Amino acid sequence: MLTLVSIAVLPLYGLAVNLLYKRLKKLTKDRSQALAGIQAYLHERISGISVIRSFTMERYDQKKFEGINGNFLNKAMAQTRWNALTFSVINTLTDIAPILVIGYGGYRVIQGDLTLGTFVAFFGYLDRLYAPLRRLINSSTVLTQASASLERVKELMDEPYDIVDRPDAKTLKSAGQIEFDHVYFKYNDNGEWVLKDINLTIRQGQTVAFVGMSGGGNRH
């Protein structure tokens, strides 16, 4: 009976893990996405700082950054609060079991159905059950957050390419050179020709660059 009382809270563990960790995983993923938004915004603005200063857009970008940073703060606080709630619920469930055992075992000792020595020995062994369980559950919290980050990495790796080969595409063998023989090209049937009668041979190892109206073009 003492064993049944001591493991009575284990179903609550399963319920707590299923509900709390599912929500924690989603909040962790939202926090990571918000952080990625901040990093992307900062990278873009720092790279174009000269343009921002030229158009005196410092205040505009500052307000925009405050909004993005505020969104990240809200996501981070929500994830932190839920993480704290998860720890508190798990630790509370872990502490309930010894209290139940003390209450029931003390009652049995008072009634004379159980010796004090047997009860003390059982209670000592109880810590060997719940101490590893507490560490396992707490470690699962960290693993849940790590799995959310792993899902974001997998989403990036599974992102389809914008340009793909046609189903009937053939493998191009190394021919040693690329040759354009009277090539014409335009973007649509009604548009003007972008390339007209282009003849060009590019040998292996050469680099050829085409530059539009803003430059003069070069070949080397």
Side-chain angles (χ1 to χ4, degrees):
M1 289 301 298
L2 284 175
T3 302
L4 292 178
V5 171
S6 64
I7 64 175
V9 298
L10 291 182
L12 297 179
Y13 265 102
L15 182 61
V17 168
N18 184 40
L19 296 179
L20 296 176
Y21 283 12
K22 184 181 297 184
R23 175 67 174 171
L24 179 62
K25 186 176 183 179
K26 181 181 183 303
L27 292 176
T28 302
K29 192 173 182 179
D30 292 342
R31 176 187 176 277
S32 299
Q33 291 176 344
L35 179 60
I38 287 183
Q39 294 172 340
Y41 182 83
L42 288 178
H43 180 269
E44 180 182 353
R45 292 305 182 271
I46 291 176
S47 300
I49 189 65
S50 58
V51 178
I52 294 175
R53 297 187 65 181
S54 299
F55 288 90
T56 62
M57 298 178 62
E58 292 89 348
R59 292 186 178 180
Y60 169 80
D61 281 304
Q62 181 180 357
K63 291 182 179 179
K64 190 172 182 180
F65 175 74
E66 289 175 354
I68 297 175
N69 193 37
N71 177 61
F72 167 71
L73 178 60
N74 293 334
K75 300 293 185 182
M77 291 298 297
Q79 188 263 351
T80 301
R81 284 192 294 265
W82 195 262
N83 190 30
L85 175 64
T86 301
F87 272 99
S88 63
V89 170
I90 296 301
N91 291 330
T92 300
L93 291 176
T94 306
D95 294 334
I96 286 177
I99 294 175
L100 294 177
V101 171
I102 290 175
Y104 178 75
Y107 172 77
R108 294 292 299 273
V109 171
I110 294 174
Q111 295 296 320
D113 299 329
L114 184 69
T115 63
L116 181 61
T118 302
F119 171 67
V120 172
F122 183 88
F123 188 80
Y125 282 113
L126 185 64
D127 185 64
R128 297 190 177 184
L129 170 64
Y130 279 96
L133 183 60
R134 186 201 301 265
R135 290 194 296 268
L136 177 63
I137 297 298
N138 291 340
S139 299
S140 299
T141 303
V142 179
L143 292 176
T144 300
Q145 299 179 41
S147 65
S149 300
L150 179 61
E151 283 189 3
R152 284 183 48 78
V153 175
K154 292 178 63 178
E155 288 176 359
L156 178 62
M157 296 178 63
D158 296 338
E159 187 72 19
Y161 292 102
D162 295 333
I163 301 177
V164 296
D165 293 333
R166 294 177 55 181
D168 57 346
K170 298 180 180 180
T171 302
L172 179 64
K173 298 181 180 180
S174 177
Q177 68 181 24
I178 300 174
E179 183 174 353
F180 292 84
D181 185 13
H182 300 285
V183 174
Y184 288 79
F185 173 76
K186 57 183 175 180
Y187 289 101
N188 54 67
D189 295 338
N190 298 326
E192 297 181 357
W193 290 106
V194 179
L195 300 178
K196 298 180 181 180
D197 196 19
I198 299 298
N199 297 277
L200 178 64
T201 301
I202 305 174
R203 292 182 172 84
Q204 185 175 2
Q206 283 187 314
T207 300
V208 176
F210 292 91
V211 181
M213 295 300 296
S214 59
N218 60 79
R219 172 180 175 176
H220 59 279

